[in-house]
Amino acid sequence: MKIKYSLAVLFAASSLFLVACGSTKVEDVSDSTENAAEEQVSDSTDSASSEKDFSEANAAVLEKVEQARKNAIDAEAPKYYRALFDEATRKHNDLKSKIAHDKSTDYSAEANDLIQLYDSLTNASIAQLLKSKLSELNSSDIDAATLKTAEDALVAYDSLGVEGSSSDLYKQSKIALDSYRKLVEKGFIAMAGRERKAALEAKKNAESVKAQVAKKTKESYKAASNTFKKADSDYSVKNIEKAYIGYKSAKESFSEMYEIVKKDREETEARLAAAREKVNAAEQTAVAADSAAPLTEKIAGIEDENAVLLQSDTFANPEDSISDVESGDVAKKAEQIADDAMAAENSEIDAK
């Protein structure tokens, strides 16, 4: 009996031991799995946080690239340096594509390199413009050494071409611009003043045909007026090259819209004249018909001769849409600079 009881106790103890061991193993596996999961989540979180988002920074620097490109276009870079401008455009499009599809990379270095390339195009193009103006100056006023420096820099710029680095291109373009600026600075102030005067005259011509309210040109009119105001701002702080380019751009734009509206008016007047001829012919036919068989009663569908068929149109005064570019301190200062420069130039010419 004691033997049976001892065996039963031993069996029960063994069972409890096995259960205890089994439970310990399950808990160990569970803890191990949870720890691994936690480590995996932690690694994933660390990876996500380490991947930075440069979207805003890239967008901001891309805006600067766009402005640099606009400056180059305003300076007529496509005219003077088509191949290099096309290469800059290719790089520009490539950069825009990268920024659009990859927010985890900082493209500021590539963008700044492109800005420098566009700036070199602007400098070199303005230098070409200044070079073309040398013929309008007195040859005795041109310093030979400065002229050689300017010419050599432009030759070096051309030689670098599309294979040149942005920094090297910028360096040569800056030497060329500074040298040509030094050569023509005095005469160029008066030249810009004359361009300002021409732009104002072109603006008045455009307004004479109501370009400021014409459907095809009213937006161009606003843009040209703003360009003129910006040129005045540049001129008043002696940024003469940009002022000249701005006045020239405004002048050409005003002149173009004048031609557009003038042509539209001529075509409209021609159509109206043709329509009037048809109306006159129809009236003569109607008079003849009425004489032969006059109407004595009202007929449905035919309006009374005194009926108002359309409501009268009321148009805003086109003069109210004219942009005032000649008022204000900046405009007055620019006007004074132009008058003084042109007067001084005329005095020198008279003295010679």
Side-chain angles (χ1 to χ4, degrees), residues 256-311:
E256 181 181 5
M257 64 183 77
Y258 169 77
E259 295 297 334
I260 289 173
V261 177
K262 182 182 175 184
K263 181 180 178 182
D264 283 352
R265 279 193 166 193
E266 290 173 350
E267 291 176 351
T268 299
E269 287 175 0
R271 288 196 297 269
L272 288 174
R276 279 194 292 268
E277 288 182 5
K278 290 183 179 180
V279 169
N280 289 335
E283 285 179 349
Q284 291 174 5
T285 301
V287 168
D290 192 48
S291 298
L295 295 175
T296 57
E297 59 185 37
K298 185 173 178 62
I299 298 177
I302 298 181
E303 298 288 349
D304 184 84
E305 62 179 342
N306 296 319
V308 177
L309 302 181
L310 295 174
Q311 293 296 322

Side-chain angles (χ1 to χ4, degrees), residues 138-207:
N138 191 326
S139 59
S140 61
D141 294 333
I142 299 176
D143 180 72
T146 304
L147 177 60
K148 186 175 187 312
T149 299
E151 291 176 338
D152 288 349
L154 275 188
V155 169
Y157 186 84
D158 287 334
S159 298
L160 288 168
V162 296
E163 300 299 327
S165 69
S166 296
S167 59
D168 287 342
L169 286 163
Y170 181 83
K171 179 181 177 181
Q172 294 302 324
S173 73
K174 191 70 168 60
I175 293 172
L177 177 58
D178 289 345
S179 299
Y180 278 115
R181 178 184 288 154
K182 185 177 180 181
L183 288 169
V184 304
E185 186 174 34
K186 184 178 178 181
F188 204 60
I189 296 175
M191 199 177 300
R194 291 195 298 273
E195 199 69 11
R196 182 181 190 273
K197 187 176 180 180
L200 283 173
E201 189 64 29
K203 178 176 179 289
K204 290 174 182 176
N205 287 340
E207 290 163 356

Side-chain angles (χ1 to χ4, degrees), residues 56-121:
E56 290 187 8
N58 286 334
V61 77
L62 187 58
E63 284 186 14
K64 294 180 181 179
V65 174
E66 298 287 353
Q67 183 58 52
R69 175 183 172 81
K70 183 180 182 304
N71 292 342
I73 292 173
D74 288 344
E76 299 187 284
K79 168 186 171 182
Y80 293 111
Y81 299 102
R82 168 54 67 181
L84 189 55
F85 182 81
D86 287 346
E87 175 64 11
T89 300
R90 185 192 66 75
K91 291 181 177 180
H92 192 174
N93 290 334
D94 184 51
L95 177 62
K96 286 192 290 187
S97 178
K98 289 177 181 177
I99 289 176
H101 296 93
D102 181 11
K103 64 181 182 179
S104 63
T105 301
D106 180 3
Y107 288 103
S108 60
E110 188 172 337
N112 287 326
D113 186 73
L114 185 54
I115 289 171
Q116 195 170 48
L117 176 56
Y118 275 132
D119 286 348
S120 82
L121 281 163

Side-chain angles (χ1 to χ4, degrees), residues 313-328:
D313 286 323
T314 56
F315 295 100
N317 185 0
E319 304 303 315
D320 294 338
S321 298
I322 291 178
S323 295
D324 181 9
V325 300
E326 298 182 75
S327 298

